[in-house]
Amino acid sequence: MASARSNGGADAAERTLLPQLEELKQQHRRAELIQKALLDISELAGSVSELSRLYPALQNIIGRFIDARNFFVALYDGDRTNVDFVYFIDQEDGTFAPTMSPEELNNSLTGHVMNTAQPLFLTQETFAEVTGKIQAVGIGSHPVDWIGVPLNRGGQVIGALVVQSYDDSVRYSESDVELLVFVSQHIVNAFDRVKSRELTETMIRERTKQLRHINDELQEEIQERQKIESLQQALFEISEVAATVGGDMQTFYANIHDILARLLSAPNCYIAVLSEDSEHLEFPYFSDEIRNSPNRRKLGLGLTERVLRTGRAELITPQIAVELQQQGELDAFTSEGIVKDDNSWLGSPLFVEGEIAGVIAVQTYNRGASYSFKDLELLRFVSHHIAVAIERKRAAEAIQRYNQQLAEKVKERTDELNQANLHLKKQIEERKEIERKLIHDANHDSLTGLANRAMFNNRLELAIANKKRYPKHNFAVLFVDLDRFKLINDTLGHHAGDCFLIEVANRIGKCIRAYDLLARLGGDEFVILLDSFDNPEDVEEVANRVISAIANPFELEGSEMYSGASVGIAFIESGYQSSDEILRDADAAMYQAKTMGRGRYVIFDKSMRQKLLEELALENEFRRNLKSGEFECFCQPVLALDDERPLYYEYYIRWEHPKLGKIKREQFRQVAEHSGLSIDMDHFMLRNACEILANWSEADGDYPYRKVAVNMSINHLLQTKLVEQLIGFVQEANVDPSRLVLEFDEHDLNRKSQFVLPAIKKLKRAGISLVLDNFGSGLASLSYLYSYPFDFVKVDHRFVKSIPRSQRNLKLVQSILMISEHLKFKLIADGVDTQEQLQALKDIGCHYGQGKYLIKAAAVDTEESLLLQFSPAAG
């Protein structure tokens, strides 16, 4: 019995002791949980660099011991003028981060916690009573339970941390309040560590003291500190390895692996890096108990790629691998391999200058050696230092390679410089030769090798200065212009033209002394500077030799060609101020020589300059008259010699100069040609002729059927655009083109014949009648009569003037009449001034004529004169 009672007492004692032991166990478990939370917060503060990443991590930590699905943090800003809800996660009110003023929060639950610096705990049962007592209202949805604790720093409230529940099954207790109050201080410390790395060591010591007060007897703290020391030693060794290991990267990686193996279980380790194209993985280090080193492979859905995508350390177990495969984050082959081998895999990114450059990973192949989250955090922490060490090592290797390449480059460059020095003198000589050639080219003509305009002007300026200083020294300039150069160039080609100019330069060079200067100004113009001659006859002798030399035949392209030279001579006098003045006067003398018949020389005198000035004044006066239309206008008909009916009326203008009197038609046409006004003058006459036709169209009788002729410049036929403008002008004047007659001079046609045939045909197609005027005045060619579709051919008045005295000219006119019958054009005899001429023309069968004997030209100056009826009696 005693034994039974004794056993019963023991059972009762045990039953009494079990609840106490369970409570102690729960307290111990809660203490461990708190300790773990504090450790996580501490490590989080040391690894997180941004507050935005700190808040969700804090929520996860707090969520380990109380429900924190609805969680927010409110903080005063720097000057305490606003309260920022820096983190806000709520099932009912969503996710937002507003900013409010302290006044707006005064009547809120959060404002009460921050104002009183005391924690506040509300339950569903006490919510109404407490909020009424403290005169506060809730903002947002109504919770089941609500806990708010102040966040203090140095006795001053900096914000509040709030958790709340909307679920009746999730309730809070006073112990949760105490826990949050306790944890809140560590959260503040985490905030401060993230904000200011300068207080890191102080915060670590205070956190260590607080941990000692929680559980001084925990051996785990000692182990943690030992791990920290081991970690510091490992980090030191990693730094030393990066600084001391030679050029073998495999040895460096193996040393890193050994150091890492002392911190955690790392029998299998590898380092993977991104390729330069960021599309492949490369494995510079791979040590594994089972697998061989993999080759370079394309990015896929492997474990390494998972770390690269997330940018954070990852712990992969078989269970997690299956979940990742189901989410499409891991390929089936890798997932099945982890499950089959019962892998535990840790991987951490290697950050270099803020960017992921690769991954370091360790793994085991048995369940007993699986990794924990502590191992994950440790690897993540160490990986930062490993990444720095790898980068330092790579940089050291790069510098070593660069130094080696630099040494090779220096040697190569030294060899190149030695080689360059061998050619330096040669290059200098070549450069000097090029400079001499450039100087020569700048002062000489590239074709003939003679001096050019620049060099000639320099020498001429020196001659002028010499003449002023020594008046007895004699200098002269000869300006040589060649005949038929353009014809040679156009017919035989530019190569023949170049050969011609070279031969001319050689011939002229033989006509002067060695110290005289021969230059080519351009085109076919040559100039000679004669120096130190005794008398003017010597200069004339040189001019004669040049003319004679050029007059000899030239052999060009297998053909014998002839040319000629016109020479203008200007003696340098002390009155000249510039080279341009002398060249101008020599050019004027040359122009005079060409006017007098070419193949001669002319010495410049002041009268030539006066004549040039007069021609310039005449040109200016002509421009003014053409602009104002101050010309006398005349009409003279071409008549049928048998019945004296008009064929057409030739319209032309006369110019009477106020000082020079009447100017011949040939002279002012030449002025218009030289001044570029021939087309303008033709437009003036064409406009007046169209006005005459327009007035005749409105008159009675046979006026609407009469034609008007205008003598046009050949320049209209040289450009397609001008021909089209001429036709358009007639159309705009609303004149029938068949009543318009255009006369073109045979002499001008001879100079430009190869360009005008298409233009003449175009005028013919437009309905305009065409006349070949002054036929026989130049080098008359029967090809004009055959090739060009002229309606009329007007024989030059000099042939008619000699009839009937010159039977030869009469026979010539008669021959052209016979040709006209076959070629379908009408022949007009111009300049019929006597009865004898008229009778002789009638006798040979000439049907049309024009001249003052038939009828004189009448002035066109009034509206009535436009309708004059010309008759032979008026003549």
Side-chain angles (χ1 to χ4, degrees), residues 136-154:
V137 295
I139 299 177
S141 302
H142 195 286
V144 173
D145 283 355
W146 189 94
I147 300 177
V149 296
L151 299 175
N152 296 288
R153 181 194 296 126

Side-chain angles (χ1 to χ4, degrees), residues 567-621:
V567 181
I569 303 173
F571 292 98
I572 299 179
E573 304 293 342
S574 57
Y576 282 113
Q577 300 299 322
S578 67
S579 60
D580 290 339
E581 294 179 0
I582 302 173
L583 288 175
R584 176 199 63 197
D585 291 347
D587 186 25
M590 181 276 297
Y591 180 76
Q592 183 67 23
K594 292 183 70 172
T595 304
M596 295 172 64
R598 305 175 185 270
R600 65 183 67 209
Y601 67 86
V602 171
I603 300 174
F604 176 81
D605 58 35
K606 294 183 179 179
S607 63
M608 294 180 187
R609 186 181 301 162
Q610 185 63 32
K611 183 177 180 182
L612 289 175
L613 293 175
E614 289 177 358
E615 289 181 356
L616 181 61
L618 188 65
E619 178 182 327
N620 292 335
E621 185 69 20

Side-chain angles (χ1 to χ4, degrees), residues 618 622 631-636 649-656 661-673 681-682 685 709-712 743-745 748 773-774 794 797 830-831 850 857:
L618 188 65
F622 181 77
F631 292 108
E632 293 180 298
C633 303
F634 290 85
C635 265
Q636 186 177 28
Y649 295 82
E650 182 182 357
Y651 174 83
Y652 61 91
I653 60 174
R654 290 179 181 173
W655 180 26
E656 186 168 353
K662 290 184 178 181
I663 308 299
K664 294 181 179 180
R665 290 174 63 180
E666 292 79 5
Q667 185 178 1
F668 70 74
R669 276 198 169 276
Q670 189 176 21
V671 170
E673 185 74 25
M681 183 181 70
D682 291 348
M685 292 194 298
V710 178
N711 201 301
M712 303 294 287
E743 297 187 357
F744 294 98
D745 192 279
D748 294 337
D773 194 14
N774 294 327
K794 186 183 291 187
H797 64 89
D830 188 19
Q850 184 181 26

Side-chain angles (χ1 to χ4, degrees), residues 461-478:
E461 294 286 352
L462 292 175
I464 294 172
N466 187 290
K467 183 67 176 178
K468 289 181 179 180
R469 188 172 183 181
Y470 305 104
K472 292 184 179 180
H473 289 185
N474 296 320
F475 301 91
V477 173
L478 280 67

Side-chain angles (χ1 to χ4, degrees), residues 626 628-635 651-653 680-696 708-710 729 733 735 740 860 866:
L626 183 60
S628 60
E630 297 179 4
F631 292 108
E632 293 180 298
C633 303
F634 290 85
C635 265
Y651 174 83
Y652 61 91
I653 60 174
D680 294 332
M681 183 181 70
D682 291 348
H683 283 171
F684 171 79
M685 292 194 298
L686 186 61
R687 188 184 308 109
N688 290 348
C690 288
E691 289 180 5
I692 293 174
L693 290 174
N695 282 280
W696 281 354
V708 173
V710 178
F729 185 87
V735 170
L740 184 64
V860 181
L866 295 175

Side-chain angles (χ1 to χ4, degrees), residues 72 74 76 83 85 101-122 129-139 146-152 157 159-162:
F72 68 83
Y76 282 113
V83 176
F85 286 80
S101 66
E103 291 77 12
E104 293 176 307
L105 285 176
N106 270 341
N107 297 327
S108 68
L109 299 177
T110 305
H112 177 78
V113 172
M114 297 173 69
N115 291 334
T116 62
Q118 296 295 324
L120 181 61
F121 176 38
L122 301 176
E129 177 185 354
V130 175
T131 54
K133 183 178 179 180
I134 64 176
Q135 296 182 349
V137 295
I139 299 177
W146 189 94
I147 300 177
V149 296
L151 299 175
N152 296 288
V157 176
L161 182 147
V162 176

